[in-house]
Amino acid sequence: MQRALELAEQARGYAEPNPLVGAVLVRDGRAVGEGHTRPYGGPHAEVEALRQAGPRAEGAEMFVTLEPCAHHGKTPPCAPALVEAGLRRVVMAVLDPTPKTGGRGLRLLTEAGLETAVGLCREEAVRQNAAFFKGAALGRPLVIAKWAMSLDGRIATRTGASRWISGEPARHAVHRVRGRVDCVIVGGRTAGLDDPLLTCRDAERRRTAARLVMCGRAVPAVESRLVRTLKEAPVLLAYPDGRVPEGLGALVRRGCEALPVEAMDGAPGRVAPPALLDELGRRQMSNVLLEGGAEVLGAFFETGQVDRVMVFVAPKVLGGAGAPSAVGGRGAEAPGDAPRVREPEVSALGEDALIQGWVSDPLAWAP
């Protein structure tokens, strides 16, 4: 099953909105076939493993990271194919959470006389497919909040300068993530001050993420780099429904898409993160990267919409009472009230430290 999880990871950025799935066929103690989910619309992991194994699949057992599907989609269902191939046993890490399969694949296999087992490496499989499980449970994409800061928690100097707090290895890591998500989100003020591209400049890009600006009163300039690069990636301009910001029409005429979204309670000039995520979920987005600034990060934390963090800490002390911190908003009243990162992982990227971890619990979304 550990090998199946490794295979599933190879599908990240290609398979979504389908789940990442890996499968290994074993016969007489040896692997005879492997597979992982192919790009959206392509063969599933189980079918790939069966093709590789050929006649050796008969009497074999399969280890697969998600319950084999039992419904027709862009490809035929996998569970009947396993029965037809003459497998002896199927071991699944976790059941599929969607109504189309949810237990049907397991029942089909069991009723056909195959031995089945569920739960091996379940936690690893759920965390790996957190975006898929969240989408099935809540209809919203997974939210990764990313920022770079100094040792004293500043994301810019007192003059507003932020390039570059982190080093080249950290920036390369961000580009790699951008190339595996569906959307990159920033606030209107950040878009105006930094004039970012928000595109993936990495040779291993697997997806072209939409670039979304949460606009209150501020919208990007018509000659901004975002607008000048519309051929590379689309730009969405989310604004509070009923409060069209000045300059939006000109951007729409240049090719940006206007996206009216419900406003936050008590803040009619700001987009409500839950409503925005509902809309992105309807667009079949699986995961989004939240890149700031502080006001946008604060809004997502305040409304409980951050699932995972990716924080780069540079060995610098910027100081200054006026230098901005990473997360704005009201903030916690007491340390015990603050959102907590579960089991944080710390690694080195050049001179910087990368801290990653879960704010949400993906296991809560799984069956």
Side-chain angles (χ1 to χ4, degrees):
M1 189 63 79
Q2 289 291 342
R3 174 58 181 160
L5 289 165
E6 292 175 2
L7 290 165
E9 195 59 34
Q10 295 178 28
R12 188 173 300 282
Y14 292 127
E16 297 89 343
N18 282 344
L20 318 178
V21 182
V24 178
L25 272 170
V26 177
R27 181 173 172 176
D28 299 326
R30 299 184 63 184
V32 294
E34 296 183 338
H36 61 75
T37 314
R38 293 297 168 179
Y40 184 57
H44 290 187
E46 300 93 321
V47 172
E48 287 285 291
L50 289 175
R51 286 177 180 172
Q52 191 176 108
R56 294 176 295 175
E58 186 173 358
E61 56 183 340
M62 174 172 281
F63 294 83
V64 61
T65 59
L66 184 70
E67 176 188 7
C69 63
H71 66 280
H72 281 269
K74 290 185 177 291
T75 60
C78 294
L82 303 186
V83 174
E84 186 177 344
L87 266 65
R88 175 179 65 83
R89 183 172 181 247
V90 179
V91 181
M92 296 156 263
V94 63
L95 294 179
D96 190 306
T98 62
K100 290 181 179 179
T101 289
R104 290 177 57 207
L106 173 62
R107 286 195 299 273
L108 191 153
L109 296 170
T110 303
E111 291 170 359
L114 278 71
E115 297 178 32
T116 58
V118 180
L120 183 62
C121 298
R122 178 178 180 273
E123 290 190 11
E124 295 98 314
V126 171
R127 288 193 175 94
Q128 183 179 63
N129 255 326
F132 177 67
F133 285 101
K134 182 184 180 183
L138 304 179
R140 294 173 178 170
L142 189 81
V143 177
I144 305 166
K146 164 262 164 184
W147 66 88
M149 67 182 188
S150 60
L151 279 175
D152 53 337
R154 308 297 185 178
I155 59 172
T157 67
R158 58 182 174 80
T159 65
S162 61
R163 292 180 180 172
W164 296 104
I165 289 178
S166 55
E168 181 62 33
R171 297 198 293 276
H172 178 76
V174 173
H175 282 288
R176 184 179 177 86
V177 175
R178 284 181 185 170
R180 285 158 175 74
V181 300
D182 295 306
C183 188
V184 179
I185 300 175
V186 296
R189 188 168 184 272
T190 297
L193 289 173
D194 295 349
D195 191 21
L197 275 173
L198 303 180
T199 53
C200 170
R201 277 92 74 190
D202 183 273
E204 296 183 25
R205 185 181 72 184
R206 299 180 177 186
R207 303 180 83 74
T208 298
R211 298 166 293 172
L212 187 148
V213 182
M214 293 177 67
C215 307
R217 290 183 297 273
V219 297
V222 173
E223 294 303 321
S224 66
R225 296 202 296 170
L226 285 171
V227 179
R228 295 202 311 267
T229 54
L230 279 167
K231 290 184 178 180
E232 294 182 32
V235 173
L236 306 177
L237 305 174
Y239 65 94
D241 197 4
R243 286 179 167 248
V244 180
E246 184 179 352
L248 184 69
L251 293 168
V252 171
R253 288 191 290 273
R254 289 290 296 270
C256 300
E257 180 182 353
L259 188 62
V261 178
E262 178 185 331
M264 286 184 69
D265 289 340
R270 298 170 66 188
V271 168
L276 176 62
L277 294 176
D278 285 339
E279 173 59 30
L280 299 184
R282 285 190 285 271
R283 294 173 180 235
Q284 284 199 303
M285 291 191 181
S286 298
N287 42 59
V288 301
L289 182 63
L290 190 63
E291 293 209 23
E295 186 174 308
V296 168
L297 284 164
F300 272 78
F301 273 107
E302 283 179 13
T303 54
Q305 300 307 313
V306 174
D307 300 311
R308 188 168 174 81
V309 297
M310 184 179 188
V311 183
F312 299 92
V313 183
K316 303 171 183 177
V317 178
L318 298 183
S325 60
V327 181
R330 293 191 305 269
E333 291 186 9
D337 300 331
R340 192 172 190 87
V341 177
R342 303 163 186 265
E343 301 177 2
E345 304 167 8
V346 182
S347 56
L349 279 176
E351 293 185 341
D352 303 321
L354 170 59
I355 303 173
Q356 300 184 85
W358 292 100
V359 180
S360 299
D361 181 6
L363 296 176
W365 303 323

